[in-house]
Amino acid sequence: MACNDNDISIFDIKCEHQRLVKVIRNVHERLRYVYKQGCDADDVWKAHCNNLSERQEYAQAMQKLATTVWATNNTRIEWCLEACRSYFSGGGLEYWIKKDAKDKKITSFSTSCDALKFTVVPPLKENILLLDVGSCYNPFRCFKEIVPIAIDLTPATPDVYTCDFLKVSVVTPEGPRWQQNQLSSTEEVKKLPGNTFHVVVLSLVLEYLPAPHQRWTFCTKAYQLLQYNGLLLIITPDSKHQNKNALIMKNWKRALATLGFQRILYEKQTHLHCMGFRKVEGPVILKGLPPPDNPSQLLYIPQDLHSYDILNTSEKNIAVERKGDEDNAISAFFLELPFEV
């Protein structure tokens, strides 16, 4: 049976999509495999950072998946944008501050003058300063109410700053309003100002890290970088039904509460968990959930629980035991990435 041009086009697109997903998947799996073999997670990450060709291939695959392969909706970006709008200009921030005052359980912000300079006080009268960690191509630049600072280990576009977030230092800010021009467009970002950002976004990035304690480091630095009452937005992929990995999400909530993150938003979409946490002072006490002894180990993902076996002796073709629908999950969450012309 003859194929028309449309059939060929669809076939080619599917093949390219599968190839790009394989690039992403193989990097994630290789990092987890090496870590599972007993190697120190920081050494695993350092070796990856030194592998420029692998990082560039990964970044190019991410960018192409995000901007050319799938002309689909902007679900994850729109969710983050709506979370920001409803919180900062839709009454959400005022609601939580009033609730704190009523409950007298959580301090919304310090009353000291020094701390107040780096506290989000309603109503927010300035654009939202948003740090997008692990940003592929700075998707938040299109929104007029947001001033995005996009950082990535291997930027795919010129408007993303080079930064290894695991190594970045959080420093005392030099003034009440940090300016983007304090960053160099040509040098790696090695320090960022604490208590400064209104929003930190960790979208489809925590899965990149091979060990739970590294994800904990990301979240700890996010806490340090946010102003009080600021938002941490986490997007993580999961194509299972909502209850399948409910315990994992509950454990994430417990772990981040010990840092001082109060979860105020949660939505399970078809292929994603979308979570919003508000920065408050001190640990958040969760009713019916005792504080964990080792919170950093609670930031695990389903893939951490899998057994890893070598199926090919070539390092670039390391594969792992996984259920057949995992590839579908990996593919599916890229359907959430927006299309650009």
Side-chain angles (χ1 to χ4, degrees):
M1 182 177 67
C3 294
N4 59 39
D5 291 340
N6 188 55
D7 291 332
I8 295 174
S9 176
I10 293 173
F11 176 78
D12 289 343
I13 290 173
K14 287 183 177 180
C15 288
E16 178 65 358
H17 174 253
Q18 291 171 359
R19 183 189 71 81
L20 295 171
V21 167
K22 186 177 180 180
V23 170
I24 305 298
R25 185 194 67 210
N26 282 351
V27 171
H28 290 184
E29 291 178 348
R30 189 186 67 78
L31 294 177
R32 285 195 294 268
Y33 167 78
V34 177
Y35 171 62
K36 286 280 189 176
Q37 296 305 110
C39 295
D40 181 79
D42 294 333
D43 290 339
V44 174
W45 187 252
K46 181 179 179 180
H48 174 60
C49 292
N50 290 333
N51 191 337
L52 181 60
S53 61
E54 180 180 67
R55 289 193 290 112
Q56 289 177 335
E57 184 181 25
Y58 182 95
Q60 290 165 4
M62 284 290 292
Q63 182 193 23
K64 195 166 186 179
L65 279 167
T67 61
T68 62
V69 174
W70 288 104
T72 179
N73 59 42
N74 296 346
T75 301
R76 71 185 182 101
I77 306 302
E78 288 179 349
W79 187 89
C80 291
L81 183 63
E82 178 56 31
C84 292
R85 287 172 173 169
S86 63
Y87 183 73
F88 291 112
S89 59
L93 175 57
E94 292 93 329
Y95 167 82
W96 285 104
I97 289 179
K98 290 177 181 178
K99 189 175 188 303
D100 288 350
K102 182 179 179 180
D103 295 346
K104 296 181 180 179
K105 292 180 179 179
I106 300 174
T107 304
S108 294
F109 52 83
S110 172
T111 56
S112 71
C113 294
D114 289 340
L116 201 58
K117 288 192 297 186
F118 303 106
T119 300
V120 182
V121 180
L124 185 66
K125 296 181 179 179
E126 54 191 315
N127 288 339
I128 297 168
L129 186 60
L130 181 148
L131 181 67
D132 189 7
V133 181
S135 178
C136 178
Y137 60 101
N138 194 12
F140 292 101
R141 69 185 184 279
C142 302
F143 306 109
K144 63 181 182 180
E145 69 263 55
I146 291 179
V147 178
I149 307 297
I151 60 175
D152 199 294
L153 180 65
T154 314
T157 58
D159 57 349
V160 179
Y161 296 97
T162 302
C163 179
D164 183 352
F165 199 60
L166 280 177
K167 295 180 181 178
V168 75
S169 297
V170 179
V171 300
T172 302
E174 297 178 356
R177 180 62 176 173
W178 178 77
Q179 300 296 324
Q180 184 176 351
N181 59 17
Q182 296 178 28
L183 293 178
S184 169
S185 60
T186 58
E187 298 178 1
E188 180 180 353
V189 174
K190 295 186 178 180
K191 61 182 181 179
L192 288 167
N195 300 314
T196 294
F197 295 92
H198 299 124
V199 181
V200 173
V201 175
L202 302 177
S203 178
L204 306 181
V205 67
L206 294 178
E207 311 72 36
Y208 190 0
L209 302 164
H213 76 265
Q214 293 172 321
R215 299 172 199 134
W216 173 259
T217 298
F218 264 48
C219 294
T220 299
K221 289 185 179 182
Y223 184 86
Q224 295 167 344
L225 290 165
L226 281 167
Q227 295 186 29
Y228 286 105
N229 291 317
L231 279 181
L232 169 64
L233 301 179
I234 295 178
I235 311 292
T236 187
D238 185 1
S239 292
K240 302 291 186 180
H241 60 80
Q242 182 167 354
N243 295 330
K244 175 67 176 178
N245 293 314
L247 178 61
I248 293 178
M249 293 298 99
K250 181 179 288 187
N251 282 334
W252 282 34
K253 180 180 178 180
R254 289 178 63 203
L256 295 179
T258 66
L259 285 173
F261 277 125
Q262 177 189 29
R263 197 177 79 178
I264 61 172
L265 297 169
Y266 174 75
E267 181 180 343
K268 175 63 176 77
Q269 298 185 359
T270 305
H271 305 300
L272 301 168
H273 292 283
C274 303
M275 294 170 280
F277 297 85
R278 169 175 163 246
K279 174 179 174 175
V280 299
E281 287 189 288
V284 177
I285 306 302
L286 301 176
K287 186 178 180 180
L289 293 175
D293 294 330
N294 192 354
S296 66
Q297 294 306 306
L298 290 181
L299 294 182
Y300 61 90
I301 59 177
Q303 292 89 336
D304 292 341
L305 306 178
H306 300 158
S307 59
Y308 285 66
D309 296 322
I310 299 178
L311 299 183
N312 189 309
T313 55
S314 171
E315 180 176 301
K316 286 193 174 181
N317 291 306
I318 288 176
V320 302
E321 291 183 354
R322 63 183 183 276
K323 296 179 181 179
D325 59 357
E326 278 194 47
D327 281 352
N328 294 333
I330 294 171
S331 300
F333 78 70
F334 282 109
L335 300 182
E336 310 296 342
L337 296 171
F339 171 74
E340 288 186 340
V341 178

